[in-house]
């Protein structure tokens, strides 16, 4: 099976590889894996506390080309979005953009799960933060 | 299969492969357990299974049906295929458990990430980092990998004995609800096992390289 040009492009030149400080309260970390192929994907996003916009996103994925391309694309899609907009990102958008074949759709699902997990982690940190220090107006 | 009648003589067959009345070969069931005449247990005696396999192989071999009706020739081909697939699946405890899971309506190939314990993911991630370091020539990673290998192997053994205990509990379960609850557990353990097996394979490959 041949990879699409877009998958190859993301695979050969992955965007936003790396990591963010996972102890930063404005950073959300999502770690997900696919049992069937042993892929593991870490996706992190950093929210600007002033604007509520995701200003940075990083990933590190161990897995097949499609899994790497899916997470690479996911980090690109995240940047510039609000957290609520980011929750709207669906795996189908990744499938379309990368022209993933049916056997690789689970890679895009994994990327969507990673986004959701990262946002859940971010929200958890934020609510813990708000609980510890009352909001001053 | 109960209530089926022989395509040749019309007598009830009670699901037997060969009609008890006229001894013609019947359309084979695609249920591996029924095909081998076994109750749906997760613990099987490998010796008994092998005996059944050889005995059925002799009875069903297409060569025995060269002078039979086209229907029987067709059935013998179908039966031989089911026999071989079924033996392969039932022989191995893991594929056997996956087969039972699928039959009971659990999706096996379609797990989502939530099925994998998070602490294992961290472990996998760290391991992959070490593997990558070794690939770029950082030999200090080798020791770390050897430790990982020992740890993953013991995890694998632990998972296998867990699975073994769950098989026993499934086979002894009193009703459908408790059987399903155990299958749910088995599914989780199989996911974990698959992950760990991949890790062991990966580490062993890298250390051998």
């Amino acid at each position: 099976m041949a990879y699409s040009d877009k998958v190859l492009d993301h695979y050969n030149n992955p965007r936003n590889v790396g990591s963010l400080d996972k102890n930063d309260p404005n950073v959300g970390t999502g770690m997900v894996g696919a049992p069937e192929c042993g892929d593991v994907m870490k996706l992190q996003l950093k929210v600007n506390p002033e604007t509520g916009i995701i200003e940075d996103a990083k990933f590190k994925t161990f897995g097949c080309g499609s899994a790497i391309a899916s997470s690479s694309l996911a980090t690109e899609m995240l940047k510039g979005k609000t957290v609520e907009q980011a929750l709207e990102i669906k795996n189908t958008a990744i499938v379309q953009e990368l022209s993933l074949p049916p056997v690789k759709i689970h890679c895009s699902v994994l990327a969507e799960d990673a986004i959701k997990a990262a946002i859940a982690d971010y929200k958890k940190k934020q609510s813990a933060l708000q609980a510890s220090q009352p909001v001053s107006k | 299969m109960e209530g089926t009648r022989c395509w040749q003589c019309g007598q009830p067959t009670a699901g037997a492969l060969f009609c008890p009345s006229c001894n013609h070969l019947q359309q084979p069931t695609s249920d591996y357990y029924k095909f081998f005449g076994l109750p749906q247990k997760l613990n099987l005696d490998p010796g008994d299974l092998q005996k059944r396999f050889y005995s059925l192989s002799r009875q069903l071999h297409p060569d025995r049906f060269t002078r039979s009706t086209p229907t029987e020739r067709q059935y013998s081909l179908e039966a031989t295929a089911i026999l071989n697939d079924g033996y392969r699946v039932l022989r191995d405890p893991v594929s056997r458990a996956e087969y039972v899971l699928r039959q009971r309506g659990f999706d096996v190939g379609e797990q989502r990430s939530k099925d994998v314990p998070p602490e294992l993911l961290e472990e996998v991630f760290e391991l992959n980092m070490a593997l990558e370091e070794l690939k770029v020539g950082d030999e200090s990673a080798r020791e770390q990998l050897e430790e990982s290998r020992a740890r993953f192997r013991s995890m694998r053994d632990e998972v296998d004995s867990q699975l073994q205990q769950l098989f026993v509990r499934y086979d002894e379960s009193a009703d459908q609800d408790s059987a399903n609850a155990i299958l749910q557990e088995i599914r989780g353990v199989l996911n974990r096992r698959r992950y760990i097996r991949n890790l062991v394979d990966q580490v062993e490959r890298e250390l051998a390289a």
Side-chain angles (χ1 to χ4, degrees), chain A residues 31-34 37-42 60-64 68, chain B residues 120-136 138 141 144-145 148-149 151-152 195-196 198-203 205-206:
Chain A
M31 180 91 89
V32 294
C37 45
D39 289 354
V40 54
M41 188 180 282
K42 183 166 94 172
K60 178 81 189 163
T61 293
F62 298 100
C64 68
I68 291 169
Chain B
L120 196 57
L121 278 177
E122 295 280 346
E123 187 97 49
V124 176
F125 200 82
E126 291 304 316
L127 169 79
N128 277 297
M129 295 292 264
L131 286 172
E132 210 168 64
E133 280 163 25
L134 189 70
K135 265 188 202 144
V136 297
D138 182 354
Q144 198 188 335
L145 281 181
S148 301
R149 174 170 62 183
R151 197 165 60 246
F152 291 137
Y195 231 108
I196 295 167
N198 282 344
L199 295 176
V200 173
D201 289 353
Q202 215 178 343
V203 179
R205 225 177 13 249
E206 291 303 324

Side-chain angles (χ1 to χ4, degrees), chain B residues 96-120:
Chain B
R96 188 193 309 148
E98 286 174 347
Y99 178 70
V100 171
L101 280 169
R102 264 188 225 105
Q103 276 200 317
R104 294 295 178 101
F106 290 86
D107 51 344
V108 176
E110 299 267 316
Q111 298 93 342
R112 298 282 295 255
S113 51
K114 59 181 185 296
D115 297 329
V116 181
E119 78 281 1
L120 196 57

